[in-house]
Short mmCIF file of all heavy atoms in Angstrom, two decimals:
data_model
loop_
_atom_site.label_atom_id
_atom_site.label_comp_id
_atom_site.label_asym_id
_atom_site.label_seq_id
_atom_site.Cartn_x
_atom_site.Cartn_y
_atom_site.Cartn_z
N LYS A 1 22.32 30.96 11.49
CA LYS A 1 23.38 31.93 11.82
C LYS A 1 23.90 32.62 10.57
O LYS A 1 24.43 33.73 10.65
CB LYS A 1 24.52 31.22 12.55
CG LYS A 1 24.15 30.84 13.98
CD LYS A 1 25.20 29.95 14.60
CE LYS A 1 24.72 29.49 15.97
NZ LYS A 1 25.62 28.47 16.54
N LEU A 2 23.76 31.95 9.43
CA LEU A 2 24.20 32.54 8.17
C LEU A 2 23.05 33.21 7.42
O LEU A 2 23.18 33.56 6.24
CB LEU A 2 24.83 31.45 7.28
CG LEU A 2 26.12 30.84 7.83
CD1 LEU A 2 26.52 29.60 7.05
CD2 LEU A 2 27.25 31.87 7.80
N ASP A 3 21.91 33.38 8.12
CA ASP A 3 20.71 34.05 7.56
C ASP A 3 20.14 33.34 6.34
O ASP A 3 19.50 33.98 5.49
CB ASP A 3 21.03 35.52 7.20
CG ASP A 3 21.31 36.36 8.45
OD1 ASP A 3 20.68 36.07 9.49
OD2 ASP A 3 22.15 37.27 8.37
N SER A 4 20.36 32.04 6.23
CA SER A 4 19.73 31.25 5.17
C SER A 4 18.50 30.56 5.76
O SER A 4 18.51 29.36 6.07
CB SER A 4 20.71 30.21 4.61
OG SER A 4 21.82 30.83 4.04
N MET A 5 17.45 31.35 5.96
CA MET A 5 16.29 30.88 6.72
C MET A 5 15.53 29.77 6.01
O MET A 5 15.03 28.84 6.65
CB MET A 5 15.36 32.05 7.04
CG MET A 5 16.01 33.17 7.84
SD MET A 5 16.76 32.55 9.37
CE MET A 5 17.39 34.06 10.09
N GLN A 6 15.43 29.86 4.69
CA GLN A 6 14.69 28.83 3.96
C GLN A 6 15.41 27.48 4.05
O GLN A 6 14.78 26.43 4.20
CB GLN A 6 14.51 29.24 2.49
CG GLN A 6 13.66 30.50 2.30
CD GLN A 6 12.29 30.37 2.97
OE1 GLN A 6 11.63 29.34 2.85
NE2 GLN A 6 11.87 31.42 3.64
N GLN A 7 16.74 27.51 3.97
CA GLN A 7 17.52 26.27 4.12
C GLN A 7 17.36 25.71 5.53
O GLN A 7 17.26 24.49 5.72
CB GLN A 7 19.00 26.54 3.83
CG GLN A 7 19.33 26.86 2.38
CD GLN A 7 19.08 25.67 1.46
OE1 GLN A 7 19.13 24.52 1.87
NE2 GLN A 7 18.78 25.96 0.20
N ALA A 8 17.34 26.61 6.51
CA ALA A 8 17.16 26.17 7.90
C ALA A 8 15.81 25.49 8.07
O ALA A 8 15.71 24.44 8.72
CB ALA A 8 17.28 27.37 8.84
N LYS A 9 14.77 26.07 7.46
CA LYS A 9 13.43 25.45 7.54
C LYS A 9 13.45 24.04 6.97
O LYS A 9 12.90 23.10 7.56
CB LYS A 9 12.42 26.29 6.73
CG LYS A 9 11.88 27.52 7.42
CD LYS A 9 10.80 28.12 6.52
CE LYS A 9 10.46 29.51 6.95
NZ LYS A 9 9.48 30.13 6.05
N LYS A 10 14.10 23.86 5.80
CA LYS A 10 14.16 22.54 5.17
C LYS A 10 14.85 21.53 6.09
O LYS A 10 14.41 20.38 6.19
CB LYS A 10 14.91 22.63 3.84
CG LYS A 10 14.15 23.38 2.75
CD LYS A 10 14.99 23.48 1.49
CE LYS A 10 14.27 24.29 0.41
NZ LYS A 10 15.11 24.45 -0.81
N CYS A 11 15.92 21.97 6.75
CA CYS A 11 16.64 21.06 7.65
C CYS A 11 15.76 20.63 8.82
O CYS A 11 15.73 19.45 9.18
CB CYS A 11 17.90 21.74 8.18
SG CYS A 11 19.19 21.95 6.93
N TYR A 12 15.04 21.58 9.40
CA TYR A 12 14.18 21.25 10.55
C TYR A 12 13.03 20.34 10.12
O TYR A 12 12.66 19.40 10.83
CB TYR A 12 13.65 22.52 11.20
CG TYR A 12 14.72 23.38 11.85
CD1 TYR A 12 14.68 24.77 11.78
CD2 TYR A 12 15.78 22.78 12.53
CE1 TYR A 12 15.65 25.56 12.37
CE2 TYR A 12 16.77 23.57 13.12
CZ TYR A 12 16.70 24.95 13.04
OH TYR A 12 17.68 25.72 13.62
N PHE A 13 12.45 20.63 8.95
CA PHE A 13 11.37 19.77 8.44
C PHE A 13 11.89 18.34 8.20
O PHE A 13 11.22 17.36 8.54
CB PHE A 13 10.82 20.32 7.12
CG PHE A 13 9.67 21.27 7.29
CD1 PHE A 13 9.75 22.58 6.84
CD2 PHE A 13 8.50 20.87 7.91
CE1 PHE A 13 8.69 23.46 7.00
CE2 PHE A 13 7.43 21.73 8.07
CZ PHE A 13 7.52 23.04 7.62
N ARG A 14 13.09 18.25 7.63
CA ARG A 14 13.68 16.94 7.37
C ARG A 14 13.96 16.20 8.68
O ARG A 14 13.71 14.99 8.79
CB ARG A 14 14.97 17.13 6.57
CG ARG A 14 15.78 15.87 6.35
CD ARG A 14 15.11 14.90 5.43
NE ARG A 14 15.92 13.72 5.21
CZ ARG A 14 15.46 12.55 4.79
NH1 ARG A 14 14.19 12.40 4.51
NH2 ARG A 14 16.26 11.53 4.62
N ALA A 15 14.45 16.94 9.67
CA ALA A 15 14.72 16.32 10.97
C ALA A 15 13.44 15.76 11.59
O ALA A 15 13.44 14.67 12.18
CB ALA A 15 15.35 17.34 11.91
N MET A 16 12.34 16.49 11.43
CA MET A 16 11.06 16.01 11.96
C MET A 16 10.58 14.77 11.19
O MET A 16 10.02 13.84 11.78
CB MET A 16 10.02 17.13 11.87
CG MET A 16 10.24 18.25 12.87
SD MET A 16 9.37 19.77 12.43
CE MET A 16 7.69 19.21 12.32
N SER A 17 10.83 14.74 9.89
CA SER A 17 10.32 13.63 9.08
C SER A 17 11.09 12.34 9.32
O SER A 17 10.52 11.25 9.17
CB SER A 17 10.38 14.00 7.59
OG SER A 17 11.73 14.14 7.16
N VAL A 18 12.38 12.43 9.71
CA VAL A 18 13.15 11.21 9.96
C VAL A 18 13.06 10.76 11.42
O VAL A 18 13.63 9.74 11.79
CB VAL A 18 14.64 11.40 9.57
CG1 VAL A 18 14.77 11.70 8.09
CG2 VAL A 18 15.32 12.46 10.41
N GLY A 19 12.34 11.52 12.24
CA GLY A 19 12.21 11.14 13.65
C GLY A 19 13.11 12.00 14.51
O GLY A 19 14.31 11.74 14.59
N ASP A 20 12.55 13.01 15.13
CA ASP A 20 13.33 13.98 15.91
C ASP A 20 13.79 13.33 17.20
O ASP A 20 13.06 13.26 18.20
CB ASP A 20 12.46 15.21 16.19
CG ASP A 20 13.25 16.37 16.75
OD1 ASP A 20 14.48 16.25 16.82
OD2 ASP A 20 12.65 17.37 17.13
N LEU A 21 15.05 12.84 17.21
CA LEU A 21 15.55 12.06 18.34
C LEU A 21 15.56 12.85 19.65
O LEU A 21 15.25 12.31 20.70
CB LEU A 21 16.97 11.56 18.04
CG LEU A 21 17.11 10.54 16.92
CD1 LEU A 21 18.57 10.26 16.63
CD2 LEU A 21 16.39 9.26 17.28
N GLU A 22 15.93 14.10 19.59
CA GLU A 22 16.05 14.90 20.81
C GLU A 22 14.91 15.89 20.98
O GLU A 22 14.92 16.70 21.90
CB GLU A 22 17.40 15.65 20.79
CG GLU A 22 18.59 14.68 20.81
CD GLU A 22 19.92 15.40 20.76
OE1 GLU A 22 19.94 16.58 20.33
OE2 GLU A 22 20.94 14.80 21.14
N GLY A 23 13.92 15.85 20.08
CA GLY A 23 12.76 16.72 20.21
C GLY A 23 13.07 18.19 20.03
O GLY A 23 12.33 19.05 20.56
N MET A 24 14.14 18.52 19.31
CA MET A 24 14.55 19.92 19.17
C MET A 24 14.09 20.55 17.86
O MET A 24 13.98 21.77 17.77
CB MET A 24 16.08 20.01 19.26
CG MET A 24 16.64 19.61 20.61
SD MET A 24 16.00 20.61 21.96
CE MET A 24 16.62 22.22 21.51
N ALA A 25 13.85 19.75 16.84
CA ALA A 25 13.54 20.32 15.52
C ALA A 25 12.24 21.10 15.54
O ALA A 25 12.13 22.17 14.94
CB ALA A 25 13.47 19.21 14.47
N VAL A 26 11.22 20.60 16.26
CA VAL A 26 9.90 21.24 16.28
C VAL A 26 9.99 22.64 16.89
O VAL A 26 9.50 23.61 16.33
CB VAL A 26 8.89 20.38 17.05
CG1 VAL A 26 7.53 21.06 17.07
CG2 VAL A 26 8.77 19.01 16.43
N ILE A 27 10.62 22.73 18.07
CA ILE A 27 10.68 24.02 18.76
C ILE A 27 11.53 25.01 17.98
O ILE A 27 11.22 26.21 17.92
CB ILE A 27 11.20 23.84 20.21
CG1 ILE A 27 11.00 25.12 21.02
CG2 ILE A 27 12.64 23.40 20.24
CD1 ILE A 27 9.57 25.43 21.34
N LYS A 28 12.59 24.53 17.33
CA LYS A 28 13.44 25.44 16.56
C LYS A 28 12.72 25.93 15.30
O LYS A 28 12.84 27.11 14.92
CB LYS A 28 14.76 24.75 16.18
CG LYS A 28 15.68 24.56 17.39
CD LYS A 28 17.03 24.03 16.98
CE LYS A 28 17.93 23.90 18.21
NZ LYS A 28 18.25 25.23 18.78
N LEU A 29 11.94 25.06 14.69
CA LEU A 29 11.16 25.47 13.52
C LEU A 29 10.09 26.47 13.93
O LEU A 29 9.84 27.46 13.23
CB LEU A 29 10.54 24.25 12.86
CG LEU A 29 9.72 24.51 11.59
CD1 LEU A 29 10.57 25.19 10.52
CD2 LEU A 29 9.13 23.21 11.05
N ALA A 30 9.46 26.23 15.08
CA ALA A 30 8.44 27.15 15.57
C ALA A 30 9.03 28.52 15.82
O ALA A 30 8.45 29.55 15.44
CB ALA A 30 7.82 26.59 16.85
N ARG A 31 10.18 28.58 16.46
CA ARG A 31 10.84 29.87 16.74
C ARG A 31 11.23 30.58 15.46
O ARG A 31 11.17 31.81 15.38
CB ARG A 31 12.06 29.65 17.62
CG ARG A 31 11.71 29.39 19.07
CD ARG A 31 12.95 29.18 19.89
NE ARG A 31 12.63 28.99 21.29
CZ ARG A 31 13.40 28.37 22.16
NH1 ARG A 31 14.55 27.87 21.75
NH2 ARG A 31 13.04 28.25 23.42
N LEU A 32 11.67 29.79 14.46
CA LEU A 32 12.05 30.39 13.19
C LEU A 32 10.84 31.02 12.52
O LEU A 32 10.92 32.15 12.00
CB LEU A 32 12.68 29.33 12.29
CG LEU A 32 13.25 29.79 10.95
CD1 LEU A 32 14.27 30.90 11.14
CD2 LEU A 32 13.88 28.62 10.21
N HIS A 33 9.70 30.34 12.52
CA HIS A 33 8.47 30.92 11.97
C HIS A 33 8.08 32.18 12.75
O HIS A 33 7.65 33.18 12.15
CB HIS A 33 7.33 29.90 12.04
CG HIS A 33 7.38 28.85 10.97
ND1 HIS A 33 7.46 29.17 9.63
CD2 HIS A 33 7.36 27.49 11.04
CE1 HIS A 33 7.47 28.05 8.92
NE2 HIS A 33 7.42 27.02 9.74
N GLU A 34 8.22 32.13 14.06
CA GLU A 34 7.88 33.30 14.88
C GLU A 34 8.79 34.47 14.55
O GLU A 34 8.33 35.61 14.42
CB GLU A 34 8.02 32.94 16.37
CG GLU A 34 7.63 34.08 17.30
CD GLU A 34 7.83 33.72 18.77
OE1 GLU A 34 8.27 32.59 19.07
OE2 GLU A 34 7.56 34.59 19.63
N GLN A 35 10.08 34.19 14.39
CA GLN A 35 11.04 35.24 14.04
C GLN A 35 10.70 35.87 12.69
O GLN A 35 10.87 37.09 12.50
CB GLN A 35 12.44 34.63 14.01
CG GLN A 35 13.55 35.61 13.67
CD GLN A 35 14.89 34.90 13.55
OE1 GLN A 35 15.09 33.81 14.08
NE2 GLN A 35 15.82 35.52 12.84
N LEU A 36 10.21 35.04 11.76
CA LEU A 36 9.86 35.54 10.43
C LEU A 36 8.43 36.08 10.38
O LEU A 36 7.92 36.39 9.30
CB LEU A 36 10.03 34.41 9.40
CG LEU A 36 11.45 33.88 9.22
CD1 LEU A 36 11.46 32.66 8.31
CD2 LEU A 36 12.36 34.96 8.66
N GLN A 37 7.78 36.18 11.56
CA GLN A 37 6.40 36.70 11.70
C GLN A 37 5.40 35.88 10.89
O GLN A 37 4.41 36.41 10.39
CB GLN A 37 6.35 38.18 11.29
CG GLN A 37 7.22 39.07 12.17
CD GLN A 37 7.15 40.54 11.78
OE1 GLN A 37 6.64 40.88 10.71
NE2 GLN A 37 7.64 41.41 12.65
N GLU A 38 5.67 34.58 10.80
CA GLU A 38 4.72 33.65 10.17
C GLU A 38 3.93 32.98 11.30
O GLU A 38 4.16 31.82 11.66
CB GLU A 38 5.50 32.64 9.32
CG GLU A 38 6.28 33.30 8.19
CD GLU A 38 7.26 32.34 7.51
OE1 GLU A 38 7.45 31.21 8.00
OE2 GLU A 38 7.86 32.74 6.48
N ASP A 39 3.00 33.77 11.86
CA ASP A 39 2.37 33.37 13.12
C ASP A 39 1.53 32.10 12.98
O ASP A 39 1.53 31.27 13.89
CB ASP A 39 1.48 34.52 13.65
CG ASP A 39 2.32 35.69 14.13
OD1 ASP A 39 3.55 35.52 14.26
OD2 ASP A 39 1.76 36.77 14.39
N ASP A 40 0.82 31.95 11.88
CA ASP A 40 -0.03 30.76 11.73
C ASP A 40 0.82 29.49 11.71
O ASP A 40 0.49 28.49 12.37
CB ASP A 40 -0.87 30.86 10.45
CG ASP A 40 -1.90 31.97 10.53
OD1 ASP A 40 -2.25 32.37 11.66
OD2 ASP A 40 -2.36 32.43 9.47
N GLU A 41 1.93 29.50 10.94
CA GLU A 41 2.81 28.34 10.88
C GLU A 41 3.49 28.10 12.23
O GLU A 41 3.65 26.95 12.67
CB GLU A 41 3.89 28.54 9.80
CG GLU A 41 3.36 28.50 8.38
CD GLU A 41 2.79 29.85 7.94
OE1 GLU A 41 2.75 30.77 8.78
OE2 GLU A 41 2.40 29.97 6.76
N ALA A 42 3.87 29.21 12.89
CA ALA A 42 4.50 29.08 14.21
C ALA A 42 3.55 28.43 15.20
O ALA A 42 3.94 27.57 15.99
CB ALA A 42 4.95 30.45 14.72
N ALA A 43 2.28 28.83 15.16
CA ALA A 43 1.29 28.25 16.07
C ALA A 43 1.14 26.75 15.85
O ALA A 43 1.01 25.98 16.81
CB ALA A 43 -0.06 28.96 15.88
#
């Protein structure tokens, strides 16, 4: 929301690495890559 996309990516990656309890980090990271037109990473 504050347009700090790189920081957001780090948070989602960290959430995945510690065990995504609610399964939300993966889909949010995918959408962020899609928004940034990083299609290969989003896929």
Side-chain angles (χ1 to χ4, degrees):
K1 288 171 185 172
L2 294 169
D3 293 326
S4 298
M5 300 306 182
Q6 296 305 315
Q7 291 294 334
K9 279 186 194 177
K10 290 177 183 177
C11 289
Y12 294 141
F13 270 120
R14 174 69 179 160
M16 288 162 57
S17 66
V18 298
D20 191 6
L21 293 174
E22 296 179 340
M24 296 301 297
V26 180
I27 191 70
K28 289 186 177 294
L29 182 58
R31 283 180 178 157
L32 185 55
H33 282 307
E34 182 183 0
Q35 180 185 338
L36 297 173
Q37 298 181 347
E38 298 169 353
D39 290 348
D40 293 338
E41 291 83 356

